[in-house]
Amino acid sequence: MSDLILQTKGLRASYITHLYGIDREVKVVDGVDLAIRKNEFFGIAGESGCGKTTLLKLIAGFCKPPLQVQAGKVEFLGLDKPLSLFDATEEELYKIRWRNISYIMQGSMNVLNPVRKIDKSFIDFAYPHMQELTPAQFRERVVGHLGNLRLSKDVLDSYPHELSGGMRQRVTIGLATLCSPEIIIADEPTTALDVVVQRETLGLMKRIQKELANTIILVTHDLAVHANVSDRIAIMYAGTIVEEGKTVDIFDHPAHPYTQHLIRSLPRLGDKEKKGYLKGAPPNLADPPSGCRFHPRCPLAIDRCRTEVPLPKMASSGTMTACFLAE
Amino acid sequence: MSETNELLSVRNAKKSFRLGGLLSTKEIIAVNEVSFTLFKDKPDILSIIGESGSGKSTLSRLILRLLLPDSGNIELEGKDVHAMKGRKQELDYMRRVQPIFQNPFETFNPLNRVDEFLLATAKNYYPGEKPELTKERVEMALQAVGLSLSEVGGRYPHELSGGQLQRSSVARAIIPNPKILVADEPVSMVDASLRMSIVNLFQDLKNKLGTSIIYITHDLATAYYISDRIAIIHKGYFVEQGETAPILTNPKHPYTKLLVESTLDPRPGATSLADGDISTGDEEYLAVGCKFAARCPRAMDICRKVQPEETIDGTWKVRCHLYGGNI
């Protein structure tokens, strides 16, 4: 078997609506090929509205109207044979959810039910997937697991509002990791948190990933987060992956103009140098620009960029880059 | 009174809230003995930094007259802002101090056109002016933030990008030519790339219009990038304040050190991630003595008993028993 755990091939998906007789198609994910390995921290970065969250939904096998998959597939490779998530039955999907693929969601305050104690939340989320345990065994498992996350078992008898932001975030991580899944998907897990809780949360996620030797797919727009936790990063722009590679290579030798801009504009303590920013707005995905989707904002665009779509190729820095100018 | 050089002076401001139910006697002091001054002859960007729940927003509400302090006073050009009564004085105050809010999507009414809202704001501050003059004021405010009436004219908030919208919300705030802008977490909701454009805009406003800005955030990297002065707030107390660069490169207070260590360095693997209890909830508010003692690696006996006084150590103020001969 290969060392891959999940792959997408030529994935293309749109939000399609028919409102008041007007057809609208928003192409949010346009030709995404990802090969995510076992035992890695994989990062996906991009601006808001670039399709990151939609891509995550597809990776998790959630595809409900108005979202429609037009081409390509997503395969989960953690079972005996590859499971194509869009062809799988509801039963097959139910089996792998939470057990094999789980989620850490954004905003821990909104994830936990405010009128249920934490132990009830664990029963709501995780117990249906662990039916082989008796309730007492389940509770014992939860207590042990929380101990590993440095939470005392008193937490189980608390309501979410009684916990601090950092503790709540640890509870949601606890929920997602209870079944030791092969893949944990984290959508902006630290975006609403302050720096201290952020550092603590990222440290915890990194430790868990090492202990379980599984895969965490982390989505955030904040490249400073990726720099410190991700092993590999994919940079997404307007529904396409523009660059993908090892974190060190991407940060040291970004090959795509968009990546170069993102990395140059990062503020850092001890650095007062004037930072530029990208002019213009991200494209409207209902009517994306022709050719390379980045060309209207690209400072280096040439004629070819306006008409032809660049395909990813290996740049000299070792990253896969979808740009005509990358060498 | 009018010859004072003090633009805004906050003296020993204190605001407490009661915790828990109606009969509870537990009280947290969200802002305690806070003093600082902005001067007329030198526009400043003052960053106020702290974790969530450290009293940052309460302080901004006190300055904006949305809350009444328990004791101490806040003076604008020599006049107590909380003694201002009546429509005329209030308007007079609002002309000089303006807020910028966290989420640009909530600043604007989704059912109103952005330009109409801006024109109505201008009419409010300059009643009875000719429509052409009102329009000119709005145009000037928009120009200052890099937009124009022709760009936002006739558009609804959802038709503008996040960046344009946050710029429009800054334009709204500078219509009456305020002397002070109070920006409470203006960039925590926006993307990394957009963040720099807003932060650069603040610097332009300071340099070109001479506006002082109180920049409230937990992001040390942008605070270092734009601010001249900085105040670190912990559980209601300013624990360290002075010039930004020396404080953030060589922090004295252990809490400031924790914040600086927790700021992610955007270079691969440059930050050591913590995995443990470095964050906390509101219980620190109830501590006797220094509120940070329970988390402080250098805490001494005295720290758990006596609240340290603010002393001057070197060129800036710090509130810690380790400094100023308090030991």
Side-chain angles (χ1 to χ4, degrees), chain A:
Chain A
M1 285 248 340
S2 69
D3 62 344
L4 297 182
I5 186 76
L6 186 126
Q7 59 180 347
T8 71
K9 283 183 192 153
L11 192 59
R12 222 172 275 279
S14 298
Y15 288 101
I16 297 175
T17 53
H18 311 276
L19 265 185
Y20 310 115
I22 301 167
D23 291 350
R24 246 170 92 93
E25 184 186 353
V26 183
K27 301 176 190 117
V28 264
V29 173
D30 197 6
V32 169
D33 295 298
L34 286 177
I36 297 169
R37 297 171 194 158
K38 284 177 188 154
N39 192 8
E40 79 169 344
F41 216 116
F42 188 80
I44 301 176
E47 291 169 285
S48 31
C50 75
K52 296 176 302 214
T53 301
T54 308
L55 178 60
L56 274 194
K57 275 191 199 166
L58 294 171
I59 286 177
F62 282 117
C63 181
K64 286 201 177 122
L67 180 62
Q68 282 182 25
V69 175
Q70 280 143 333
K73 58 179 176 178
V74 177
E75 278 182 338
F76 175 66
L77 308 171
L79 306 173
D80 306 335
K81 57 179 199 290
L83 177 70
S84 168
L85 296 186
F86 303 133
D87 302 330
T89 61
E90 201 48 46
E91 210 172 308
E92 282 173 310
L93 282 178
Y94 186 79
K95 252 189 217 157
I96 64 163
R97 280 196 184 132
W98 221 257
R99 273 245 136 145
N100 303 93
I101 303 182
S102 73
Y103 326 89
I104 299 171
M105 275 153 288
Q106 186 175 6
S108 54
M109 197 62 203
N110 307 333
V111 173
L112 300 169
N113 189 339
V115 295
R116 306 267 286 165
K117 286 185 178 167
I118 301 295
D119 60 342
K120 294 284 188 303
S121 279
F122 268 94
I123 292 171
D124 295 344
F125 271 96
Y127 194 49
H129 302 277
M130 303 176 89
Q131 285 296 323
E132 71 278 8
L133 301 179
T134 65
Q137 281 172 326
F138 178 73
R139 192 175 163 97
E140 202 175 303
R141 176 101 172 250
V142 171
V143 169
H145 186 65
L146 288 181
N148 190 26
L149 306 181
R150 298 188 196 183
L151 288 168
S152 78
K153 71 171 195 266
D154 302 339
V155 165
L156 287 174
D157 294 317
S158 315
Y159 287 100
H161 73 266
E162 294 175 301
L163 306 176
S164 71
M167 284 162 91
R168 275 202 301 271
Q169 199 63 27
R170 268 181 277 163
V171 168
T172 54
I173 292 176
L175 276 169
T177 50
L178 185 64
C179 308
S180 310
E182 280 90 351
I183 299 178
I184 299 169
I185 295 169
D187 188 6
E188 302 269 11
T190 61
T191 301
L193 305 176
D194 64 57
V195 284
V196 179
V197 184
Q198 167 167 288
R199 170 166 164 238
E200 187 181 80
T201 308
L202 292 174
L204 180 62
M205 285 172 63
K206 192 80 187 159
R207 172 166 74 92
I208 286 178
Q209 192 270 326
K210 284 208 178 102
E211 277 175 14
L212 297 176
N214 65 353
T215 303
I216 294 188
I217 304 174
L218 172 73
V219 165
T220 172
H221 68 266
D222 191 348
L223 276 175
V225 170
H226 287 303
N228 287 292
V229 296
S230 301
D231 300 318
R232 290 196 302 140
I233 320 179
I235 309 279
M236 203 166 172
Y237 184 80
T240 58
I241 304 280
V242 294
E243 187 163 1
E244 188 198 329
K246 281 199 195 120
T247 305
V248 183
D249 295 336
I250 293 235
F251 273 83
D252 291 353
H253 310 284
H256 195 282
Y258 180 60
T259 321
Q260 287 166 359
H261 150 75
L262 285 180
I263 286 170
R264 265 203 306 263
S265 68
L266 284 173
R268 184 165 62 84
L269 269 189
D271 179 5
K272 275 225 182 237
E273 198 188 321
K274 187 100 178 159
K275 305 281 179 201
Y277 53 89
L278 211 53
K279 297 270 181 326
N284 176 2
L285 293 176
D287 180 23
S290 60
C292 171
R293 288 184 171 188
F294 186 57
H295 85 255
R297 298 170 84 187
C298 183
L300 307 172
I302 51 174
D303 280 347
R304 197 177 169 199
C305 306
R306 291 176 239 286
T307 49
E308 261 180 80
V309 179
L311 294 174
K313 61 173 187 235
M314 189 63 85
S316 59
S317 58
T319 63
M320 291 296 284
T321 309
C323 178
F324 294 121
L325 297 170
E327 280 154 14

Side-chain angles (χ1 to χ4, degrees), chain B residues 30-275:
Chain B
V31 170
N32 207 346
E33 294 175 40
V34 164
S35 304
F36 68 90
T37 313
L38 295 175
F39 296 99
K40 274 183 196 166
D41 57 352
K42 194 180 153 290
D44 245 342
I45 298 183
L46 169 71
S47 291
I48 297 178
I49 307 268
E51 293 166 283
S52 11
S54 56
K56 299 182 301 243
S57 294
T58 305
L59 179 59
S60 87
R61 279 183 206 138
L62 288 174
I63 297 168
L64 290 169
R65 295 176 77 244
L66 299 171
L67 283 175
L68 202 64
D70 298 348
S71 63
N73 61 8
I74 298 171
E75 288 181 358
L76 181 68
E77 297 179 322
K79 288 206 185 86
D80 188 338
V81 302
H82 293 278
M84 292 177 178
K85 292 274 146 51
R87 174 80 181 147
K88 193 177 167 296
Q89 287 191 349
E90 268 175 22
L91 208 63
D92 199 42
Y93 169 83
M94 279 154 62
R95 285 207 184 99
R96 288 178 289 170
V97 182
Q98 276 287 329
I100 292 169
F101 301 102
Q102 184 170 7
N103 189 344
F105 295 93
E106 287 172 8
T107 308
F108 293 96
N109 181 342
L111 301 176
N112 273 356
R113 287 182 356 222
V114 172
D115 56 333
E116 283 201 334
F117 177 67
L118 294 174
L119 287 168
T121 308
K123 258 185 231 157
N124 232 339
Y125 288 119
Y126 301 97
E129 260 187 359
K130 281 191 183 142
E132 302 90 79
L133 218 63
T134 310
K135 212 169 169 183
E136 203 171 299
R137 283 189 195 281
V138 172
E139 182 70 47
M140 263 161 57
L142 284 169
Q143 299 267 340
V145 300
L147 291 170
S148 66
L149 256 182
S150 56
E151 259 177 279
V152 300
R155 300 248 201 127
Y156 289 91
H158 72 268
E159 294 176 298
L160 297 175
S161 73
Q164 285 174 317
L165 216 51
Q166 187 62 300
R167 280 161 182 274
S168 307
S169 101
V170 176
R172 181 213 62 81
I174 61 173
I175 285 174
N177 256 326
K179 302 213 162 77
I180 302 170
L181 289 176
V182 180
D184 192 353
E185 301 268 13
V187 295
S188 65
M189 298 289 291
V190 300
D191 276 338
S193 42
L194 208 68
R195 197 180 298 167
M196 292 323 283
S197 91
I198 303 291
V199 165
N200 282 341
L201 174 60
F202 284 159
Q203 208 151 34
D204 283 353
L205 292 180
K206 185 195 97 177
N207 293 338
K208 290 186 191 143
L209 305 179
T211 316
S212 282
I213 294 163
I214 298 177
Y215 175 58
I216 298 174
T217 184
H218 60 249
D219 180 12
L220 273 74
T222 52
Y224 184 91
Y225 178 67
I226 59 159
S227 60
D228 312 289
R229 287 196 294 148
I230 195 168
I232 311 287
I233 186 169
H234 177 257
K235 302 301 169 203
Y237 286 100
F238 273 8
V239 295
E240 196 159 2
Q241 64 169 316
E243 276 180 51
T244 306
I247 288 187
L248 290 186
T249 41
N250 192 14
K252 290 185 203 274
H253 198 284
Y255 178 63
T256 317
K257 285 183 185 156
L258 172 67
L259 289 179
V260 169
E261 277 166 25
S262 300
T263 302
L264 295 177
D265 191 312
R267 289 176 295 194
T271 314
S272 70
L273 297 170
D275 170 23

